[in-house]
C-alpha cells in the first residue's frame, strides 16, 4: 500500500512540475537558456484571483484529432499568479495556448471519479513567444472559444494551417490577453458602441462567471450542448459549442447571466442567437461598396469595391480603382490596396486561380453625377499576381466580348468563367490566358442578365440568369448543355456548388440585376419599400442532373437573398440584401446538420436568421479557412445614389466549417 501511494504521489508531482513554480514578480516571457522560455500570468474571474488553478501551456495539434501537447504545467498561487518555463517549439507556425482548470470558486478538489473540473479558462497565445504576462479570465475564454470553435474538440485545440493560426490571431481582436480586457478592435469604431457585439461578448463572459462561481455549471453545460452530441464538461468547450450553434437556447443562456455585472457594457435582453460579428474596414478609407471577397491560400481576403471611397454619401463617387487585401484580422496587408490593371467599379466578380492570381470583373459601378462614361470602362477583367502587381494592361483584358461583367469563378484547371450581365453570355478564359478568351452565348432568352457563376465537381459551370429566371449549365469546355427553370428559381443572383455535385441558387425575388438597361437607382426603388421578407425570397437546390425539388426552400432568414456559399460541412450560407441577417440552411449532407433537420431546413433561427446591427445591405458571403463567415456591406440601408456604398466587411467569428482556399469550385474541407 505504501509503495502504491508513493508511486501515485510521484506521478502527481511529476504532472505538476513540468513547469516551474510561481514567484511573486511578473517579468514576462524571457529566455532562460538553451531555448527555454519563461511565461508568467494570472488567473482571474472578473477582478477576483483564482488560486490553486492547474495552469497548463499547450501546443495545439497540427491536424484534426491530433490532440494538443502539454509543454508545461503548474498551479496558480493565492493571488492567481503563475510562472511556467518551457522549451520553445522549433516551428514558427506552432500555436500555443494556456488553460487554467479549477473547480467552482477556484477550489481545486472537484474531481470525482472521472469527472473533470468544470471551470476551464483559456487564453490563446498564438504563434511566436508572448512578451509580457498573460491573463486568463472569462473574456479571454469567450474569445478563445469563438475564434477556435471549429478547431476545438473535447476541450483541446487542433487543426491545419493556415486556419488554425489565423483563428488564434482573430482571438486577439476580441480579448486582450495582456490584461483580460476586451480588445481594441472590439471596443473601437466601427465596432465598439456602434454595434451590439461588444455587449454580447461581455454578456457571454458574465454567463461563464456564474459557473466560475459554482452556481450555474450544470445548467450552462446542458444548454450549451449541441443536439445529438455529448454535453460539454467544462466552460471552454461550452463556449465553443455555443459558437458553432448560436441559435440554441439563447434566452435560457441569457438568463444564466442575469444579476452578474463583472463585465460591462452588456446586453439588456436576450439576442436571437449568440453570434460574434466584427466589422473590418482596412485602413478606414478604402472600402466603399465592397461587392465580393476571395481568399488566397494563406487566408488573406481580396475585396473588390464598387465606388471610390468617400465618407459622405451626398458627394458623387466614381468607380473604385483599387483592389483591397486584408489580413485575416482585418488590417491591410503591407502594400495594399493595389491599383492599376484596368480596375473600375468592380461588382460581384472576384476569384483566385490555382496559381494564386486574382481576377476582378470591371462592371463599371459609379454613383450618379460621376462625369465618366461607364460604357467605356465596363468591358474588361483585371488580373493581378499573388503579390498584387497588375498583369492586365491599363484598360484591363478586353478579349471575349465582356459586357458589364458580374460573377466570376476559377476552376481547378485555372479556367476563368465570367458572367456578362449586360451581354447575355459567358466569357471563358482557358487556363487564365486572357488573349484566348472566348464568348459563349446560348442564344435567345435562355440566359438574360447572367449574374452568378460556380463550378461543380465535374468541372461544369452553372450560371444564373437573373432576367430569365433560369440557371444555365455549361460543359467544362463551355458548350451550353441545358437551361434549368422551375423549382422556385426567381430573379436568381448568387450560386454555389457543394461536394455532392449539387448547386444552390439564391433567389432574390424582387432584386433585378443592375445591367442591360436596369440602373442601380432602379434597384434601389424596387427594394426600398420591402420591409418584410418578400414572398419570392428563397433558395433552390439544383441536383447534378439539373432537376430540382418541386418547391424552393423558404424561411424568414431569407430577405432579398443575394450571395450564397457552401462551407466545409456542405451547409449553405446566404447573404441578404435586406433584413440585416445571415441565413444558414442544412445542406444535402444531412449528417452534418443538427439532428432532425432535413435538406433546406434552417439551422439559423427560422424567424430571423442570424441578425446583426453591424450588417447593412449585403451582397457576398464567403467562408475563410478558419470558419469565419465574411459578408460585404455593399450598400447602406438607405442608399443615396450619389454614393450608396457601405464601408465594412462583417465577419461572424467561428460560425462555419472551414474551407481550403482559394475556392476552386466546390468547397474542400480544411
Amino acid at each position: 500500500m505504501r509503495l502504491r501511494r508513493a508511486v501515485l504521489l510521484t506521478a502527481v508531482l511529476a504532472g505538476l512540475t513540468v513547469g516551474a513554480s510561481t514567484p511573486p514578480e511578473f517579468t514576462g516571457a524571457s529566455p532562460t537558456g538553451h531555448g527555454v522560455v519563461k511565461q508568467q500570468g494570472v488567473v482571474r474571474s472578473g477582478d477576483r484571483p483564482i488560486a490553486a488553478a492547474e495552469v497548463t501551456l499547450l501546443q495545439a495539434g497540427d491536424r484534426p484529432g491530433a490532440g494538443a501537447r502539454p509543454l508545461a504545467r503548474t498551479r496558480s498561487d493565492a493571488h492567481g499568479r503563475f510562472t511556467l518555463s518551457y522549451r520553445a517549439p522549433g516551428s514558427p507556425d506552432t500555436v500555443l495556448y494556456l488553460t487554467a482548470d479549477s473547480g467552482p470558486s477556484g477550489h481545486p478538489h472537484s474531481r470525482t471519479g472521472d469527472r473533470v473540473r468544470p471551470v476551464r479558462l483559456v487564453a490563446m497565445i498564438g504563434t511566436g513567444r508572448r512578451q509580457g504576462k498573460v491573463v486568463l479570465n472569462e473574456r479571454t475564454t469567450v474569445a478563445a472559444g469563438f475564434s477556435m470553435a471549429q478547431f476545438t474538440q473535447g476541450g483541446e485545440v487542433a487543426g491545419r494551417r493556415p486556419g488554425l493560426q489565423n483563428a488564434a490571431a482573430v482571438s486577439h481582436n476580441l480579448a486582450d490577453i495582456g490584461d483580460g480586457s476586451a480588445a481594441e478592435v472590439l471596443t473601437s469604431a466601427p465596432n465598439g458602441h456602434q454595434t451590439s457585439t461588444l455587449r454580447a461578448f461581455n454578456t457571454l463572459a458574465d454567463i461563464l462567471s456564474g459557473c466560475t462561481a459554482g452556481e450555474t455549471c450544470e445548467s450552462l453545460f446542458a444548454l450549451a450542448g449541441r443536439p445529438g452530441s455529448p454535453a460539454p464538461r467544462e466552460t471552454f468547450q461550452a463556449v465553443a459549442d455555443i459558437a458553432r450553434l448560436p441559435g440554441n437556447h439563447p434566452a435560457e443562456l441569457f438568463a444564466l447571466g442575469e444579476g452578474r455585472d463583472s463585465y460591462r457594457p452588456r446586453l439588456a435582453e436576450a439576442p436571437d442567437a449568440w453570434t460574434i460579428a466584427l466589422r473590418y474596414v482596412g485602413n478606414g478609407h478604402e472600402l466603399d461598396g465592397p461587392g465580393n471577397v476571395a481568399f488566397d491560400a494563406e487566408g488573406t481576403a481580396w475585396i473588390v469595391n464598387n465606388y471610390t471611397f468617400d465618407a459622405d454619401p451626398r458627394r458623387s463617387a466614381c468607380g473604385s480603382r483599387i483592389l483591397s487585401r486584408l489580413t485575416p484580422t482585418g488590417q491591410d496587408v503591407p502594400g495594399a490596396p493595389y491599383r492599376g490593371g484596368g480596375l473600375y467599379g468592380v461588382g460581384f466578380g472576384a476569384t483566385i486561380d490555382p496559381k494564386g492570381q486574382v481576377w476582378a470583373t470591371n462592371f463599371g459601378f459609379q454613383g450618379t453625377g460621376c462625369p465618366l462614361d461607364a460604357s467605356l470602362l465596363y468591358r474588361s477583367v483585371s488580373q493581378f499576381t499573388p503579390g498584387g502587381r497588375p498583369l492586365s494592361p491599363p484598360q484591363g483584358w478586353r478579349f471575349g466580348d465582356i459586357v458589364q461583367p458580374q460573377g466570376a469563378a476559377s476552376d481547378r484547371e485555372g479556367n476563368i468563367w465570367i458572367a456578362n450581365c449586360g451581354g447575355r453570355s459567358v466569357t471563358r478564359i482557358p487556363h487564365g490566358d486572357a488573349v484566348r478568351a472566348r464568348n459563349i452565348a446560348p442564344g435567345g432568352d435562355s440566359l438574360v442578365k447572367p449574374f452568378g457563376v460556380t463550378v461543380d465537381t465535374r468541372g461544369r459551370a452553372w450560371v444564373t440568369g437573373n432576367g430569365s429566371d433560369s440557371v444555365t449549365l455549361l460543359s467544362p469546355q463551355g458548350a451550353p448543355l441545358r437551361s434549368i427553370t422551375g423549382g422556385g428559381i426567381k430573379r436568381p443572383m448568387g450560386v454555389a456548388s457543394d461536394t455532392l455535385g449539387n448547386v444552390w441558387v439564391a433567389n432574390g425575388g424582387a432584386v433585378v440585376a443592375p445591367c442591360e438597361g436596369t440602373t442601380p437607382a432602379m434597384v434601389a426603388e424596387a427594394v426600398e419599400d420591402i420591409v418584410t421578407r418578400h414572398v419570392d425570397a428563397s433558395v433552390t437546390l439544383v441536383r447534378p442532373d439539373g432537376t430540382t425539388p418541386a418547391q424552393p426552400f423558404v424561411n424568414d432568414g431569407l430577405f432579398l437573398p443575394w450571395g450564397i456559399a457552401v462551407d466545409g460541412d456542405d451547409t449553405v450560407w446566404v447573404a441578404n440584401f435586406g433584413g440585416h441577417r445571415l441565413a444558414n440552411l442544412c445542406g444535402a449532407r444531412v449528417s452534418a446538420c443538427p439532428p432532425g433537420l432535413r435538406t433546406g431546413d434552417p439551422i439559423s433561427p427560422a424567424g430571423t436568421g442570424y441578425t446583426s446591427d453591424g450588417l447593412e445591405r449585403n451582397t457576398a458571403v464567403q467562408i475563410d479557412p478558419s470558419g469565419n463567415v465574411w459578408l460585404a456591406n455593399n450598400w447602406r440601408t438607405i442608399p443615396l445614389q450619389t454614393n450608396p456604398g457601405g464601408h465594412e466587411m462583417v465577419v461572424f467569428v467561428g460560425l462555419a466549417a472551414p474551407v481550403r482556399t482559394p475556392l476552386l469550385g466546390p468547397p474542400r474541407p480544411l
Side-chain angles (χ1 to χ4, degrees), residues 107-306:
H107 295 305
H109 306 298
S110 62
R111 191 182 298 271
T112 303
D114 64 351
R115 182 179 177 84
V116 299
R117 295 170 184 166
V119 177
R120 170 167 289 182
L121 302 179
V122 176
M124 296 303 305
I125 294 176
T127 57
R129 297 178 180 179
R130 169 70 186 177
Q131 300 299 320
K133 77 176 190 294
V134 173
V135 172
L136 292 85
N137 65 7
E138 289 90 355
R139 272 185 175 139
T140 66
T141 305
V142 173
F146 269 76
S147 63
M148 310 305 295
Q150 302 297 327
F151 302 97
T152 301
Q153 189 63 43
E156 292 192 358
V157 174
R160 292 190 174 89
R161 71 170 310 278
L164 177 70
Q165 288 74 15
N166 295 347
V170 169
S171 73
H172 299 157
N173 280 354
L174 298 175
D176 184 339
I177 63 172
D179 59 11
S181 65
E184 182 179 359
V185 169
L186 179 58
T187 59
S188 58
N191 298 295
H193 295 294
Q194 294 186 11
T195 77
S196 60
T197 298
L198 173 61
R199 297 192 295 276
F201 176 78
N202 284 333
T203 306
L204 284 163
D206 266 345
I207 290 170
L208 286 196
S209 72
C211 179
T212 310
E215 299 173 12
T216 61
C217 293
E218 186 174 344
S219 297
L220 172 64
F221 300 156
L223 294 170
R226 290 170 57 85
S229 300
R233 303 172 71 191
E234 38 78 14
T235 49
F236 174 53
Q237 186 63 54
V239 175
D241 285 353
I242 292 169
R244 287 200 296 265
L245 194 60
N248 193 27
H249 303 303
E252 294 87 343
L253 285 166
F254 178 81
L256 296 183
E258 290 184 318
R260 303 191 177 278
D261 58 359
S262 296
Y263 301 104
R264 295 285 176 174
R266 53 167 293 160
L267 295 175
E269 58 184 24
D272 299 319
W274 289 105
T275 56
I276 297 293
L278 291 173
R279 298 203 291 191
Y280 292 163
V281 295
N283 62 22
H285 50 83
E286 61 181 298
L287 299 182
D288 196 320
N292 213 330
V293 57
F295 300 100
D296 61 23
E298 296 303 312
T300 64
W302 297 75
I303 301 162
V304 293
N305 289 277
N306 295 175

Side-chain angles (χ1 to χ4, degrees), residues 263-516:
Y263 301 104
R264 295 285 176 174
R266 53 167 293 160
L267 295 175
E269 58 184 24
D272 299 319
W274 289 105
T275 56
I276 297 293
L278 291 173
R279 298 203 291 191
Y280 292 163
V281 295
N283 62 22
H285 50 83
E286 61 181 298
L287 299 182
D288 196 320
N292 213 330
V293 57
F295 300 100
D296 61 23
E298 296 303 312
T300 64
W302 297 75
I303 301 162
V304 293
N305 289 277
N306 295 175
Y307 310 102
T308 298
F309 178 86
D310 194 321
D312 187 348
R314 297 166 297 182
R315 285 199 290 259
S316 181
C318 291
S320 173
R321 296 182 183 270
I322 67 169
L323 177 62
S324 298
R325 184 186 180 192
L326 304 186
T327 67
T329 53
Q331 295 79 37
D332 269 0
V333 170
Y338 309 116
R339 292 170 171 81
L343 285 169
Y344 190 79
V346 182
F348 198 58
T351 191
I352 299 178
D353 67 22
K355 297 178 182 178
Q357 297 175 342
V358 184
W359 299 77
T361 61
N362 299 305
F363 180 79
F365 269 111
Q366 57 188 28
T368 56
C370 174
L372 301 180
D373 184 352
S375 68
L376 302 177
L377 299 163
Y378 63 42
R379 300 177 182 274
S380 71
V381 62
S382 298
Q383 180 187 9
F384 288 78
T385 69
R389 179 174 58 85
L391 293 172
S392 48
Q395 300 302 313
W397 295 121
R398 292 182 169 241
F399 304 99
D401 297 322
I402 295 171
V403 182
Q404 289 187 301
Q406 283 283 12
S410 173
D411 62 26
R412 294 185 182 182
E413 304 301 319
N415 304 306
I416 308 301
W417 303 81
I418 298 169
N420 292 312
C421 193
R424 301 193 178 192
S425 66
V426 177
T427 296
R428 180 179 182 270
I429 302 176
H431 305 291
D433 185 353
V435 299
R436 296 171 56 203
R438 71 183 182 92
N439 189 269
I440 304 160
D445 295 331
S446 63
L447 183 60
V448 180
K449 296 191 175 186
F451 195 86
V453 57
T454 191
V455 177
D456 69 11
T457 53
R458 304 183 198 176
R460 303 178 300 177
W462 301 74
V463 187
T464 58
N466 174 267
S468 48
D469 295 339
S470 67
V471 178
T472 294
L473 173 61
L474 306 174
S475 75
Q477 294 73 38
L481 298 178
R482 63 179 302 179
S483 177
I484 295 97
T485 58
I489 297 175
K490 179 70 178 295
R491 298 284 183 196
M493 301 296 286
V495 60
S497 57
D498 68 20
T499 65
L500 303 178
N502 307 295
V503 297
W504 295 79
V505 181
N507 297 308
V511 177
V512 182
C515 59
E516 198 180 290

Side-chain angles (χ1 to χ4, degrees), residues 8 59 90 96 102 134 199 208 219 226 272 383 401 418 522-523 574 611 613 622 660:
L8 179 60
Q59 174 180 325
L96 301 181
S102 70
V134 173
R199 297 192 295 276
L208 286 196
S219 297
R226 290 170 57 85
D272 299 319
Q383 180 187 9
D401 297 322
I418 298 169
M522 294 176 185
V523 177
V574 186
T611 61
D613 51 9
Q622 302 289 353
R660 191 181 309 174

